[in-house]
Amino acid sequence: NAGVTQTPKFQVLKTGQSMTLQCAQDMNHNSMYWYRQDPGMGLRLIYYSASEGTTDKGEVPNGYNVSRLNKREFSLRLESAAPSQTSVYFCASSKDRGGTYNSPLHFGNGTRLTVT
Amino acid sequence: GENVEQHPSTLSVQEGDSAVIKCTYSDSASNYFPWYKQELGKRPQLIIDIRSNVGEKKDQRIAVTLNKTAKHFSLHITETQPEDSAVYFCAASDSWGKLQFGAGTQVVVTP
């Protein structure tokens, strides 16, 4: 039982390049999330998927797209990377809609992305 | 939407002393308040959480208190140990259940 698995762990991009961050969970969770973590700003929600087949914008969606490929997988795409997207990205999942007592968030190990 | 403020941003304590981190939230409809611990280079991990119908919860050396009227909640760590050194995040749920996180508190426990 691996929990939430993210790939890659590290990535360096040049401005304008594109890439996809992958996330998979093996806990049969319905909801999945993408957060970014920047110094002094905590964790900010980029996009989330309440259930398979649905996606919604979070607090900071500009410059990103997501795909809920199936119940297990939720990917984050940067179409044209910018230096402002340099950050640590965390994927998370929860049994049902997140942020409830009976459905806590489980985080992956993160992807450290640098855009030069 | 929900806004969560967390203080202090850094906290240095002597081993064995207590540490207190405070958070305030803005949405009176918030009903779930988890705390996450993140060690250097690791993922955030849930350490304790509390529902809005409970005023206090304890788990060994950590406790969380909630004052709904004042819209603030706190994390208390007693008898701190070096392994308590980490970044701690508070969070509050919005009406849908999405979590809004505080900016984090870097706790350093010195021997």
Side-chain angles (χ1 to χ4, degrees), chain B residues 27-104:
Chain B
D27 187 352
S28 56
S30 291
N31 58 12
Y32 174 62
F33 307 91
W35 287 87
Y36 283 81
K37 176 183 180 182
Q38 185 180 29
E39 296 176 357
L40 188 61
K42 301 281 184 66
R43 72 181 80 186
Q45 292 196 293
L46 180 69
I47 55 171
I48 195 167
D49 55 8
I50 193 168
R51 291 194 244 201
S52 59
N53 59 352
V54 175
E56 183 176 358
K57 182 178 178 181
K58 274 188 175 181
D59 183 2
Q60 298 181 355
R61 295 186 298 107
I62 59 173
V64 58
T65 58
L66 171 65
N67 183 326
K68 281 183 64 180
T69 304
K71 289 192 275 191
H72 66 71
F73 56 113
S74 302
L75 178 72
H76 304 253
I77 307 173
T78 58
E79 300 172 23
T80 53
Q81 300 169 5
E83 53 264 37
D84 294 328
S85 294
V87 177
Y88 293 80
F89 293 98
C90 63
S93 62
D94 66 13
S95 54
W96 183 86
K98 296 193 304 296
L99 289 178
Q100 183 72 35
F101 285 85

Side-chain angles (χ1 to χ4, degrees), chain A residues 51-100:
Chain A
S51 60
E52 186 179 355
T54 69
T55 60
D56 285 288
K57 295 178 180 179
E59 184 183 353
V60 287
N62 291 345
Y64 305 95
N65 283 300
V66 291
S67 295
R68 182 75 182 266
L69 304 169
N70 47 55
K71 190 171 185 179
R72 290 185 64 249
E73 299 172 286
F74 188 39
S75 63
L76 178 72
R77 182 158 179 87
L78 287 71
E79 290 291 353
S80 179
S84 60
Q85 295 178 304
T86 293
S87 188
V88 179
Y89 291 85
F90 285 98
C91 178
S93 70
S94 63
K95 179 185 170 190
D96 297 305
R97 67 180 197 180
T100 67

Side-chain angles (χ1 to χ4, degrees), chain A residues 12-84:
Chain A
V12 179
L13 291 178
K14 294 186 191 301
T15 297
Q17 287 185 318
S18 62
M19 77 159 297
T20 300
L21 282 65
Q22 306 286 355
C23 175
Q25 52 89 11
D26 62 2
M27 296 176 281
N28 200 35
H29 283 173
N30 289 308
S31 299
M32 298 185 74
Y33 313 82
W34 278 104
Y35 285 89
R36 61 178 288 173
Q37 183 177 28
D38 302 293
M41 302 189 75
L43 292 148
R44 292 181 294 167
L45 184 63
I46 305 171
Y47 269 94
Y48 66 99
S49 171
S51 60
E52 186 179 355
T54 69
T55 60
D56 285 288
K57 295 178 180 179
E59 184 183 353
V60 287
N62 291 345
Y64 305 95
N65 283 300
V66 291
S67 295
R68 182 75 182 266
L69 304 169
N70 47 55
K71 190 171 185 179
R72 290 185 64 249
E73 299 172 286
F74 188 39
S75 63
L76 178 72
R77 182 158 179 87
L78 287 71
E79 290 291 353
S80 179
S84 60

